[in-house]
Amino acid sequence: RITPYGHGEYLLSAIDITQQKQLEDMRRDFIANASHELRTPITVISGYLEALIDQADKKMIPPLEKIQSQTERMTQILEDLIVLARLESKELPIYPDIVDLAELLQEIHHDAKVLDDGRHEIILSADQASIEGSRSELQMAITNLVTNAIRYTPDGGTIRIFCHSLRDTIQVGVEDDGIGIPPEHISRLTERFYRVDSGRSREAGGTGLGLAIVKHVLDRHNAALHIESHPDEGSVFRCDFR
Ligand code: ADP
């Protein structure tokens, strides 16, 4: 850090952050290893559960199905934790790929409509634009935003997936007219497991990790996430690429 003081004089200070970096690496590796280790036993439990449900008498089916849905949740949480650990552990990449955003958004729009099954009106308005980046990471991030819009917008609502190509910025995002978010929560939404209403998130199949993944992918693309939201009016999640 260089701090100016006096006339034409500067103070140069340096701090050794080796230990802090080692601790961060340990935390990241621990989460990645624990998630990997847990994946196998959960896969085995799921397999046995399916077999049990096939053979169970009527009375046992509801509790077994409850166990099954919780097992699916655990699997989803582990998958998301593994994705996050991977995003964190990779060096900042230089992307050789040019991603055609209009084409990518068309695919995401199509998949969203299939997932949504007609519960919302999902609109796409995309300018022609492309950026250097990882297609698979961008697809994952934008899909997370669309999934959230579906999750937190009551049936009959409208969701718009957009891409605006401005002079020096490309804005990609998702707008909904759903439940919205009270202002005091907005700055914390990209923290892991941060949820405005955890009951609602769990019920809707959320893991609390979706926006943390979005934030990581955007950091790796030198892009910024902007969130605008009003309770009972809706939200806009916008990614700005420069
Ligand atoms: P989750 O898996 O719980 O959806 P996320 O990290 O994707 O986790 O989002 C964090 C929280 O942000 C959610 O639990 C929800 O409270 C809020 N949120 C995200 N997207 C929206 C949205 N489009 N409308 C309203 N709330 C949202």
Side-chain angles (χ1 to χ4, degrees):
R1 182 181 298 152
I2 300 172
T3 321
Y5 77 101
H7 288 291
E9 300 203 29
Y10 294 90
L11 176 69
L12 174 73
S13 53
I15 312 169
D16 180 357
I17 57 161
T18 314
Q19 207 184 4
Q20 188 186 333
K21 180 90 182 47
Q22 275 170 349
L23 281 172
E24 275 170 25
D25 288 352
M26 269 169 61
R27 175 192 64 85
R28 195 190 62 222
D29 290 348
F30 173 76
I31 295 176
N33 292 338
S35 312
H36 272 289
E37 291 296 326
L38 285 168
R39 198 145 69 158
T40 312
I42 288 186
T43 309
V44 175
I45 292 173
S46 300
Y48 276 108
L49 263 174
E50 252 171 56
L52 276 176
I53 289 173
D54 281 347
Q55 293 164 19
D57 59 62
K58 252 192 174 160
K59 231 173 54 195
M60 282 310 289
I61 288 183
L64 286 174
E65 281 180 342
K66 283 227 166 79
I67 300 175
Q68 192 178 38
S69 83
Q70 295 301 323
T71 315
E72 277 163 16
R73 266 197 57 216
M74 277 198 272
T75 308
Q76 193 53 55
I77 293 171
L78 290 179
E79 295 299 331
D80 280 357
L81 281 173
I82 290 169
V83 166
L84 262 178
R86 259 193 222 135
L87 287 172
E88 274 187 326
S89 69
K90 283 197 221 156
E91 291 295 309
L92 269 189
I94 300 163
Y95 292 117
D97 293 351
I98 301 289
V99 182
D100 177 343
L101 287 172
E103 182 266 334
L104 175 63
L105 291 188
Q106 261 166 26
E107 185 178 330
I108 292 172
H109 180 229
H110 173 266
D111 293 348
K113 288 213 290 198
V114 173
L115 170 81
D116 188 53
D117 201 18
R119 285 175 294 147
H120 304 91
E121 187 179 4
I122 306 182
I123 305 167
L124 171 67
S125 60
D127 296 345
Q128 279 302 331
S130 44
I131 51 168
E132 284 180 14
S134 154
R135 191 180 190 280
S136 58
E137 286 181 20
L138 292 170
Q139 179 166 20
M140 180 166 64
I142 302 164
T143 300
N144 282 353
L145 296 180
V146 176
T147 311
N148 279 348
I150 291 176
R151 225 172 244 160
Y152 303 109
T153 302
D155 288 1
T158 304
I159 293 160
R160 192 170 69 91
I161 305 169
F162 61 86
C163 169
H164 300 313
S165 179
L166 307 176
R167 213 153 34 116
D168 56 356
T169 320
I170 295 175
Q171 300 184 333
V172 179
V174 183
E175 183 179 358
D176 65 58
D177 58 3
I179 62 171
I181 303 157
E184 66 272 21
H185 295 284
I186 290 185
S187 63
R188 301 196 55 192
L189 293 180
T190 57
E191 289 173 23
R192 285 153 206 243
F193 298 115
Y194 190 87
R195 294 150 161 137
V196 177
D197 175 344
S198 33
R200 183 165 191 146
S201 156
R202 289 201 184 98
E203 235 170 70
T207 60
L209 294 167
L211 291 177
I213 292 176
V214 172
K215 173 87 174 44
H216 266 82
V217 170
L218 293 187
D219 284 350
R220 290 160 63 78
H221 287 78
N222 270 329
L225 178 66
H226 293 274
I227 306 171
E228 234 187 272
S229 186
H230 301 282
D232 301 322
E233 287 178 23
S235 315
V236 184
F237 286 76
R238 196 187 77 217
C239 318
D240 287 357
F241 297 88
R242 286 188 185 276

